[in-house]
């Protein structure tokens, strides 16, 4: 059976999470790599273990959890949703009300993480179930526009419910990432401040990294497993041909409702984690752009695939950081007249010369933030035009190239 | 780190001061109605362009708001910053401004043509969902670049009417609103006339059946480009009048583009594929929004500031619960 990944001789083999030994070994190696990143001893990826990059990776993992959620709804069940940011907001504010301490201006209950994190997902899922009957009635592109309306309505609510959200442009503090049994002073496990674990000194970012990694692995397993269960197969049959699915006895509305609920659960947890990671978020965070980012993640990664979703999250979240680094490097090159100074001259606009990107505020050309945004838009367009299957499609093409080598097919 | 930055996507819907000053009772109601019709005319223009693009090319254009902002910005640039084509001819100030605005609208139409040729044409035959997401990408791209040109401040479009108000028997009406309604009516008549012309018939044929239209010798690609050109021009007109006195002090980064998102409820209300429905939906949404702003403003502490801004979306959700394909949309026939 070697070299024939799609040849199955039993139903168990076809349904297993990792059908081939190559996949198992690769995954094990990848997991070891992920665990050792903060320890910084694998050559080549040591820079990822620095605190600033760990922050980016933590965000990548939170986005990956959210993206896995929208992948269930859009990738598996085929329902296009632009309302993901709304459900993330619901989860985030559930977490803040349950987890943050009360003050005279804000609601809060100061409960521990093992209550507020699952509750964030559950409340978001319940809101998803409430919204679903409207969403199930409309189909295709109508659904995209309806969920777009949801984001705007949500933004209005979040801006005005000041006792929960802290008010427009201000926000409030989220509970920290720390494990307590109840409301005791000293947390049992602290995920966000520097200290030793098992005799090794870790920074706060590294501890958060391990916490997120465990969560991400759990959610990835859930997602991967869901796709092969009865419910997951029902989702896929609705995506592929809803009438045929109904004829075969797959309840259309019921399964769409399930997809909304599960997807919202993922979104709620991701929203709560994002709030806890950043510490303070304004209500305008949960806007259309955030929703579009999630759609972009699964499109760039490859809709319907687990590996693609994770890759897409890394790509979409880490790109702004890379653009920032690149711009900084180029501006240093210009200043010191390095070998890439000509490229920097061309791209960076300063002191009145022409260029695409400017490093000073209000200069000519786009700011770094705007460059990132424009690059997003451009990448979404380019990926859809040239590689509709996303990064996963690129991987398939590389794999097929080596499979057939030295022949072209 | 995009999400962490406070993106102030202000979708404030300012209450029309002319309506507020119109006393109470019937005069206030009539002033509200005129203001609502003017806002509805803007929504109707946006929805009309959107539906024309959707019918002809089956593309849901999420970039419509960004294109409207381009039109408004170009008008501000030509009429105020450059004062270019307007100052060449003499005559009254409104004529000069109109000339600058027409140039801006034509340039926006060209932007629409370019976007279609670069990003939409290669996607013919791909799933509709992918093309819709491409337009979201176009929205981000165009909006970011336009925002950079607009800058951080407010850029007035320099219309000659300013904050002028006519008082007709106690009913106070902003002058710009009369102009808005007149221009919108002219644009709608022009579109209706266009649909009766030879090219317009070709466009309707393409919307009906692309292959059959092609077999009759209609250049479908040309029709696609044309629909984007018309849609962009209509969006530009709407963008300009969304940036004048009672609505907004001028073109603002993101705000002008996001204003146009509120035309989506109008489209959905009428039905995605109904040209007449788009116009009706636009007026309904406009009047409902202004009515909410007029009569619900005393309850702002309960409903929240800027409540009228989300009224269009609430109306949309309500209508979809009852009629999933809008008021005039074609019901999708599901065949086995």
């Amino acid at each position: 059976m070697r070299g024939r990944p799609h040849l199955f001789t039993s139903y168990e083999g076809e349904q297993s999470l990792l059908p081939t030994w190559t996949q198992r070994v690769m995954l094990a190696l990848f997991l070891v790599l992920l665990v050792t990143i903060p320890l910084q001893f694998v050559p080549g990826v040591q820079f990822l273990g620095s605190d600033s990059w760990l922050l980016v990776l933590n965000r990548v993992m939170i986005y990956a959890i959210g993206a896995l959620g929208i992948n269930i709804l859009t990738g598996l069940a085929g329902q296009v949703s632009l309302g993901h940011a709304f459900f993330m907001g619901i989860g985030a504010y559930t977490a803040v009300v349950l987890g943050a301490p009360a003050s005279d201006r804000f609601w809060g209950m100061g409960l521990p993480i093992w209550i507020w994190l699952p509750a964030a997902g559950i409340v978001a899922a319940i809101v998803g179930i409430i919204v679903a009957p409207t969403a199930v009635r409309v189909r295709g592109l109508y659904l995209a526009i309806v969920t777009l309306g949801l984001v705007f309505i949500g933004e209005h609510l979040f801006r005005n419910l000041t006792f929960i959200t802290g008010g427009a442009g201000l926000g409030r503090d989220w509970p920290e990432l720390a494990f307590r049994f109840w409301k005791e002073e000293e947390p049992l496990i602290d995920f966000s401040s520097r200290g030793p674990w098992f005799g090794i000194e870790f920074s706060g970012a590294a501890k958060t990294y391990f916490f997120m990694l465990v969560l991400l692995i759990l959610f990835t397993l859930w997602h991967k497993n869901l796709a092969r269960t009865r419910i997951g197969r029902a989702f896929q049959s609705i995506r592929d041909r809803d009438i045929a699915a109904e004829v075969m006895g797959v309840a259309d509305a019921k399964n769409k409702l399930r997809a909304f609920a599960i997807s919202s659960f993922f979104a709620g947890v991701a929203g709560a984690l994002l709030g806890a990671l950043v510490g303070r978020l304004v209500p305008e965070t949960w806007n259309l752009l955030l929703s579009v980012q999630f759609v972009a993640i699964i499109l760039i990664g490859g809709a319907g695939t687990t590996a693609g979703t994770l890759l897409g999250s890394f790509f979409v979240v880490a790109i702004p950081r890379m653009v920032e680094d690149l711009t900084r490097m180029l501006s240093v090159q210009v200043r010191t007249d390095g070998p890439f100074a000509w490229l920097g001259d061309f791209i960076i606009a300063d002191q009145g010369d022409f260029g695409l990107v400017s490093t000073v505020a209000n200069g000519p050309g786009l700011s770094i933030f705007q460059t990132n945004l424009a690059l997003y838009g451009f990448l979404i367009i380019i990926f859809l035009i040239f590689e509709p299957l996303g990064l996963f499609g690129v991987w398939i093409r590389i794999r097929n190239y080596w499979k057939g080598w030295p022949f072209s097919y | 780190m995009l999400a962490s930055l406070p993106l102030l996507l202000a979708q404030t819907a300012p209450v029309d001061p002319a309506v507020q000053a119109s006393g109470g009772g019937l005069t206030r109601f009539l002033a509200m109605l005129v203001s609502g019709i003017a806002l509805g005319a803007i929504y109707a223009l946006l929805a009309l362009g959107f539906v024309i693009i959707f019918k002809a090319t089956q593309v849901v254009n999420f970039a419509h708001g960004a294109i409207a902002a381009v039109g408004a910005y170009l008008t501000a640039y030509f009429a105020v910053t450059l004062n270019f084509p307007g100052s060449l001819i003499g005559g009254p100030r409104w004529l000069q401004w109109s000339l600058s605005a027409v140039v801006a609208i034509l340039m926006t139409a060209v932007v629409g043509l370019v976007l279609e040729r670069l990003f939409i044409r290669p996607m013919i035959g791909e799933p509709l969902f992918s093309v819709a997401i491409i337009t979201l990408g176009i929205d981000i791209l165009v909006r970011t670049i336009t925002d950079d040109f607009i800058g951080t401040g407010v850029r007035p479009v320099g219309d000659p009417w300013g904050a002028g108000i006519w008082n007709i028997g106690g009913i106070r009406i902003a002058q710009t609103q009369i102009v808005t309604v007149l221009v919108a009516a002219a644009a709608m008549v022009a579109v209706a006339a266009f649909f009766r012309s030879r090219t317009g018939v070709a466009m309707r044929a393409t919307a009906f059946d692309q292959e059959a239209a092609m077999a009759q010798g209609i250049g479908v690609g040309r029709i696609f480009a044309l629909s984007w050109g018309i849609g962009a021009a209509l969006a530009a007109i709407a963008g300009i009048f969304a940036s004048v006195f009672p609505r907004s002090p001028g073109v603002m980064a993101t705000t002008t583009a996001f204003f146009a998102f509120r035309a989506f409820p109008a489209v959905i209300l009428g039905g995605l594929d109904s040209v007449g429905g788009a116009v009706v939906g636009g007026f309904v949404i406009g009047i409902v929004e202004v009515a909410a702003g007029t009569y619900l403003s005393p309850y702002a502490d309960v409903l929240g500031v800027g409540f009228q801004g989300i009224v269009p979306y609430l109306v949309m959700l309500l209508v979809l619960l009852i009629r999933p394909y809008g008021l005039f949309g074609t019901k999708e026939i599901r065949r086995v």
Side-chain angles (χ1 to χ4, degrees), chain A residues 56 59 63 74 80 82 133-134 137-139 141-142 144-153 155-157 159-160 168-169 241-243 246-247 252 274 278 281-282 284-285 287-290 292-293 295-296 299 303 317 320-321 324 362-367 369-378 380-382 384-385 388, chain B residues 1-12 50 54 58 60 62 118-120 122-123 126 128-141 143-145 147-149 152 258 261 264-265 267-268 271-273 300 303-308 310 313-314 316-317 320-326 329-330 332 334-336:
Chain A
V56 174
R59 192 180 273 267
Y63 272 59
T74 306
V80 185
L82 291 172
T134 320
R137 273 178 70 81
V138 295
R139 295 152 51 80
L141 296 165
Y142 276 88
I145 299 178
V146 169
T147 48
L148 181 129
L150 208 59
V151 173
F152 284 109
I153 293 172
E155 241 192 291
H156 177 78
L157 287 178
R159 261 189 283 118
N160 284 290
R241 195 89 177 92
D242 52 351
I243 298 176
E246 276 182 272
V247 168
D252 189 61
L274 190 63
V278 180
L281 288 174
V282 294
E284 286 86 355
T285 311
N287 59 21
L288 184 65
L289 181 65
L290 190 67
V292 174
Q293 269 184 294
V295 176
L299 284 175
V317 180
R321 168 66 197 246
E324 225 167 281
N362 289 329
L366 304 169
S367 69
F369 172 66
Q370 285 174 323
T371 312
N372 281 326
L373 260 182
L375 208 62
Y376 258 119
F378 197 62
I380 294 174
I381 298 169
I382 293 304
L384 277 169
I385 291 180
Chain B
M1 298 301 97
L2 295 176
S4 64
L5 277 168
L7 269 177
L8 295 170
L9 301 180
Q11 40 157 155
T12 48
F50 183 90
F54 180 75
Q58 331 276 273
V60 171
F62 285 109
L118 282 181
F119 300 135
I120 305 294
M123 293 300 285
E126 300 285 336
L128 297 182
F129 168 54
S130 307
V131 191
I133 301 300
I134 282 203
T135 62
L136 274 174
I138 298 175
D139 172 60
I140 296 177
L141 188 66
R143 189 149 46 83
T144 310
I145 295 170
D147 283 358
D148 185 59
F149 278 108
T152 46
F258 267 81
F261 271 102
F264 277 110
V267 175
I268 292 291
L272 259 182
D273 57 353
L303 299 170
V305 181
F307 173 74
Q308 65 270 30
I310 62 161
Y313 298 108
L314 293 176
M316 170 178 82
L317 286 181
L320 282 182
L321 264 180
I322 302 158
R323 289 184 67 96
Y325 296 97
T330 323
E332 190 186 343
R334 301 171 74 200
R335 287 203 186 90
V336 182

Side-chain angles (χ1 to χ4, degrees), chain B residues 56 69 88 98 187 221 243 247 253 266 333:
Chain B
L88 293 184
S98 305
S243 311
R247 311 266 158 250
I333 299 164

Side-chain angles (χ1 to χ4, degrees), chain A residues 9-27:
Chain A
T9 50
S10 68
Y11 284 114
E12 287 76 26
E14 191 183 358
Q15 289 198 337
S16 64
L17 286 175
L18 298 163
T20 64
W21 268 103
T22 325
Q23 284 180 349
R24 281 169 219 173
V25 172
M26 294 266 277
L27 183 70

Side-chain angles (χ1 to χ4, degrees), chain A residues 94-273:
Chain A
T94 308
V96 86
V97 166
L98 291 178
S103 69
D104 51 342
R105 287 193 299 132
F106 304 138
W107 287 3
M109 296 165 86
L111 297 173
I113 191 168
W114 58 269
I115 294 178
W116 63 253
L117 192 56
I122 290 166
V123 171
I126 290 171
V127 173
I129 291 172
I130 294 169
V131 171
T134 320
V136 165
R137 273 178 70 81
V138 295
R139 295 152 51 80
L141 296 165
Y142 276 88
L143 180 62
I145 299 178
V146 169
T147 48
L148 181 129
L150 208 59
V151 173
F152 284 109
I153 293 172
E155 241 192 291
H156 177 78
L157 287 178
F158 297 152
R159 261 189 283 118
N160 284 290
L161 298 173
T162 32
F163 49 91
I164 295 177
T165 65
L170 295 169
R172 63 183 283 192
D173 292 332
W174 258 258
E176 57 181 354
L177 289 168
F179 188 88
R180 289 176 170 86
F181 274 122
W182 196 238
K183 296 177 179 179
E184 62 262 26
E185 275 294 299
E186 278 300 302
L188 198 66
I189 312 168
D190 193 342
F191 296 111
S192 50
S193 57
R194 172 173 284 282
W197 267 1
F198 308 111
I200 307 171
E201 184 82 6
F202 283 112
S203 67
K207 286 176 160 185
T208 314
Y209 173 86
F210 287 120
F211 177 64
M212 298 292 174
L213 187 61
V214 171
L215 279 181
L216 178 62
I217 289 172
L218 287 178
F219 275 98
T220 309
L221 268 178
W222 182 9
H223 176 276
K224 189 88 184 157
N225 190 51
L226 182 76
R228 59 180 190 150
T229 58
R230 187 187 170 87
I231 295 174
R233 281 178 282 134
F235 288 174
Q236 290 169 63
S237 67
I238 289 172
R239 173 194 65 193
D240 293 339
R241 195 89 177 92
D242 52 351
I243 298 176
E246 276 182 272
V247 168
M248 288 194 297
V250 175
D252 189 61
K254 194 167 110 189
N255 279 298
K256 281 181 185 170
L257 192 132
R258 272 190 193 140
F260 260 99
I262 299 173
S263 156
S264 306
F265 184 90
F266 278 64
V269 171
L273 289 174

